[in-house]
């Protein structure tokens, strides 16, 4: 009965955060939720214990990883990106289980793509499920602010039926699980990561502009960590049942009407690329894509998007962990 009560409280709090963005969820110190992943002294935990600097220099990038595996939940961090010339630099905040499921891994990504001086950072979101790296579901966007000026909150809500990406309190993308997606929808326990790395070969104008280390170190700042989900035993891979029948009111049901208005407005103004309209990469749209002629025409105004080879876990893990 006690375990049942804990599950109920967890699901209710996720529901409140998703629909009202309650500030009552616990903010973790770095050591409470995360551990050093790679980069030696390029990862610095500040004296308050709640803020972290990740840096990229000629020697290496850096990153950290959550101490626990999670099956569904709400995952969030406040991030301030490097300023000035940042071409080729990628900062990532994402979920993955590539270390556990090498050939059938799942992934949910926020990637921040640097740019030349005078050009804005862009955000890329993506998901993989069951090793479906041959079908990238990338979208790219501009922002209504300069993410290097101040901290902004970036969040992922992951449930059994949907994935929602948030920037501050604004949902920017919703991916609903459909029958046609099959195993392409992330459904296995994942770990939370944050990294900074050199992606000169693809990140800025398809690799035209590369990292220039005379501007190094590139420093990304992180704080306000939220890891709010069901933890999973890394050996047994068994979890408290996050879908206990506690009543439909306790389970997230999607985006509210007011949030949807904000999301649609954001996407009309700031989306620059969607895999759904990429005829170069895909001869046929994936089943979940809904064609919008006006949207397709608007996206033609932006430069063609080029992606590097190995866009899946091999790319994430290998490149981010190799010293430059």
């Amino acid at each position: 009965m006690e375990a049942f009560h804990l599950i109920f409280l967890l699901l209710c709090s996720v529901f409140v955060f998703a629909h009202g963005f309650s500030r009552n969820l616990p903010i973790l110190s770095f050591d409470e939720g995360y551990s050093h992943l790679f980069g030696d002294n390029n990862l610095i935990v500040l004296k308050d214990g709640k803020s972290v600097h990740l840096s990229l220099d000629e020697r290496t990038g850096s990153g950290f990883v959550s101490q626990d595996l999670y099956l569904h939940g709400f995952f969030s961090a406040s991030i301030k990106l490097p300023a000035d010339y940042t071409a080729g630099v990628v900062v990532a905040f994402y979920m993955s289980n590539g270390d556990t499921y090498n050939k059938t891994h799942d992934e949910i990504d926020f990637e921040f793509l640097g740019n030349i001086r005078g050009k804005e950072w862009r955000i890329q979101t993506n998901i993989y499920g069951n090793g479906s790296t041959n079908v990238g579901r990338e979208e790219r966007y501009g922002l209504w602010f300069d993410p290097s000026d101040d901290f902004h909150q970036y969040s992922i809500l992951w449930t059994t039926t949907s994935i929602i990406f948030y920037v501050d309190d604004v949902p920017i993308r919703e991916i609903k699980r459909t029958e046609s997606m099959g195993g392409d929808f992330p459904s296995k326990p994942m770990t939370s990561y944050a990294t900074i790395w050199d992606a000169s070969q693809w990140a800025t104008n398809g690799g035209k502009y590369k990292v220039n280390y005379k501007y190094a170190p590139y420093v990304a700042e992180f704080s306000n960590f939220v890891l709010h989900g069901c933890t999973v035993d890394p050996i047994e891979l068994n979890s408290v049942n996050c879908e206990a029948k506690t009543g439909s009111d306790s389970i997230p049901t999607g985006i509210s009407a007011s949030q949807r208005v904000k999301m649609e407005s954001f996407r009309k103004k700031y989306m620059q690329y969607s895999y759904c309209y990429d005829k170069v990469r895909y001869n046929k749209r994936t089943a979940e894509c809904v064609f919008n002629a006006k949207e397709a025409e608007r996206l033609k105004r932006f430069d063609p998007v080029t992606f590097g080879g190995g866009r899946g876990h091999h790319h994430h893990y290998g490149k981010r962990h190799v010293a430059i």
Side-chain angles (χ1 to χ4, degrees):
M1 180 62 70
E2 183 178 356
F4 181 89
H5 183 62
L6 289 173
I7 297 169
F8 180 83
L9 290 177
L10 171 66
L11 290 171
C12 282
S13 59
V14 170
F15 177 82
V16 169
F17 203 117
H19 290 269
F21 278 86
S22 166
R23 300 303 180 188
N24 295 326
L25 283 180
I27 303 297
L28 302 179
S29 69
F30 178 78
D31 289 338
E32 286 178 311
Y34 286 98
S35 298
H36 184 282
L37 180 62
F38 76 106
D40 302 322
N41 295 330
N42 282 16
L43 184 155
I44 298 174
V45 180
L46 302 192
K47 290 183 179 180
D48 64 5
K50 297 180 180 180
S51 302
V52 175
H53 288 181
L54 293 181
S55 64
L56 167 68
D57 56 27
E58 289 182 279
R59 184 178 60 89
T60 185
S62 53
F64 55 83
V65 59
S66 65
Q67 297 168 11
D68 291 318
L69 276 168
Y70 295 90
L71 181 63
H72 308 127
F74 191 88
F75 309 93
S76 185
S78 186
I79 305 171
K80 183 180 178 182
L81 298 174
D84 202 11
Y85 182 97
T86 55
V89 177
V90 171
V91 176
F93 177 63
Y94 65 107
M95 309 290 295
S96 179
N97 52 30
D99 290 335
T100 305
Y101 304 96
N102 187 32
K103 295 182 179 180
T104 59
H105 88 284
D106 303 326
E107 199 163 301
I108 304 173
D109 297 337
F110 262 120
E111 289 185 313
F112 306 90
L113 312 180
N115 218 326
I116 59 175
R117 184 181 288 122
K119 298 288 186 178
E120 300 173 344
W121 281 85
R122 291 150 303 148
I123 291 183
Q124 179 167 290
T125 61
N126 194 16
I127 69 163
Y128 295 118
N130 205 34
S132 58
T133 56
N134 61 320
V135 182
R137 288 178 164 86
E138 295 95 345
E139 288 187 352
R140 286 187 184 179
Y141 328 87
L143 289 168
W144 63 95
F145 56 83
D146 183 344
S148 67
D149 278 347
D150 205 350
F151 285 90
H152 290 269
Q153 201 77 17
Y154 303 92
S155 310
I156 296 168
L157 175 64
W158 172 37
T159 75
T160 57
T161 58
S162 68
I163 294 166
I164 303 172
F165 294 88
Y166 297 88
V167 177
D168 292 329
D169 290 358
V170 179
I172 66 168
R173 182 180 185 184
E174 177 187 34
I175 302 168
K176 293 183 178 180
R177 185 175 194 167
T178 64
E179 185 177 348
S180 63
M181 291 180 73
D184 287 4
F185 188 90
S187 59
K188 299 187 291 296
M190 291 191 279
T191 308
S192 176
Y193 294 84
T195 55
I196 186 170
W197 54 295
D198 184 329
S200 290
Q201 76 275 21
W202 66 272
T204 307
N205 289 66
K208 179 179 179 180
Y209 301 105
K210 304 182 186 304
V211 173
N212 188 334
Y213 284 103
K214 78 176 185 179
Y215 298 106
Y218 298 97
V219 180
E221 304 174 47
F222 291 77
S223 65
N224 292 339
F225 301 110
V226 175
L227 292 167
H228 198 72
C230 294
T231 58
V232 177
D233 187 293
I235 304 300
E236 299 295 333
L237 296 178
N238 292 323
S239 171
V240 174
N241 184 3
C242 296
E243 296 181 287
K245 295 180 180 179
T246 56
S248 59
D249 289 344
S250 66
I251 300 172
T253 57
I255 298 174
S256 69
S258 60
Q259 287 177 322
R260 191 165 298 280
V261 169
K262 290 181 180 179
M263 182 176 71
E264 291 176 354
S265 176
F266 168 85
R267 294 175 67 81
K268 287 178 181 178
K269 292 179 181 179
Y270 297 105
M271 189 165 72
Q272 300 176 359
Y273 169 86
S274 171
Y275 72 103
C276 288
Y277 302 103
D278 193 333
K279 296 181 180 179
V280 175
R281 297 172 71 201
Y282 305 112
N283 294 325
K284 183 180 179 181
R285 284 190 298 273
T286 56
E288 74 271 11
C289 289
V290 177
F291 183 79
N292 181 312
K294 289 184 178 180
E295 189 171 69
E297 189 64 28
R298 185 182 67 82
L299 294 179
K300 288 181 180 179
R301 297 182 307 171
F302 296 96
D303 293 333
V305 171
T306 302
F307 296 98
R311 290 290 304 151
H313 179 72
H314 173 75
H315 182 77
H316 275 260
Y317 188 89
K319 185 62 179 177
R320 288 172 187 167
H321 290 61
V322 174
I324 306 303

